[in-house]
Amino acid sequence: QVQLVESGGGSVQAGGSLRLSCAASGYRYSSDMSMAWFRQAPGKEREGVAVIDSGGATSYLDSVKGRFTISKDNAKNTLYLQMNSLKPEDTAMYYCAAPFATGKLVRPFAVIQYYYWGQGTQVTVSS
């Protein structure tokens, strides 16, 4: 059974930092697999925040570029999201996601590209 478990969320003031982690188990965390962080605020659609592909190349939502950094530790089967200079508009439930199989994703920021999801970790940023 595949499990993705997020941790590291919390409440911070604007300008603060948080580091999210996503521990993967139940399948071989493949270095050939893309992984992503999504977020969903109340009343809004889930949106892709950051993606890291099999080669380690990263992509970001425009609004988080320069503030967020996605990374992975294949030895620990763990995905990370370092979030700096947080803003109130970053407040959301954050999810890590993995596709069903390896290979290049056609639309890496699309929810439909991902099969496995964690339960989410809440990030709240106050002004």
Side-chain angles (χ1 to χ4, degrees):
Q1 182 177 357
V2 175
Q3 278 194 315
L4 299 176
V5 180
E6 301 96 336
S7 61
S11 297
V12 297
Q13 291 191 327
S17 297
L18 286 172
R19 188 194 194 202
L20 305 184
S21 299
C22 172
S25 62
Y27 75 106
R28 184 178 180 276
Y29 186 108
S30 172
S31 61
D32 292 333
M33 183 175 286
S34 297
M35 292 195 71
W37 286 98
F38 283 75
R39 68 185 180 188
Q40 188 166 19
K44 295 188 177 182
E45 293 186 353
R46 190 169 297 192
E47 63 177 356
V49 174
V51 178
I52 185 165
D53 72 12
S54 58
T58 57
S59 302
Y60 298 93
L61 181 69
D62 283 347
S63 62
V64 308
K65 284 180 181 177
R67 300 188 297 121
F68 290 12
T69 302
I70 187 172
S71 62
K72 59 179 180 176
D73 186 331
N74 292 331
K76 295 183 178 180
N77 287 4
T78 302
L79 179 73
Y80 301 101
L81 184 67
Q82 178 67 42
M83 304 186 296
N84 299 329
S85 301
L86 282 161
K87 303 176 181 180
E89 50 263 44
D90 295 318
T91 295
M93 186 73 79
Y94 283 71
Y95 302 88
C96 68
F100 184 78
T102 61
K104 184 175 177 62
L105 299 179
V106 176
R107 298 172 57 201
F109 283 88
V111 171
I112 197 172
Q113 294 273 245
Y114 297 88
Y115 186 83
Y116 300 107
W117 295 85
Q119 83 291 346
T121 186
Q122 179 67 39
V123 172
T124 303
V125 185
S126 58
S127 56

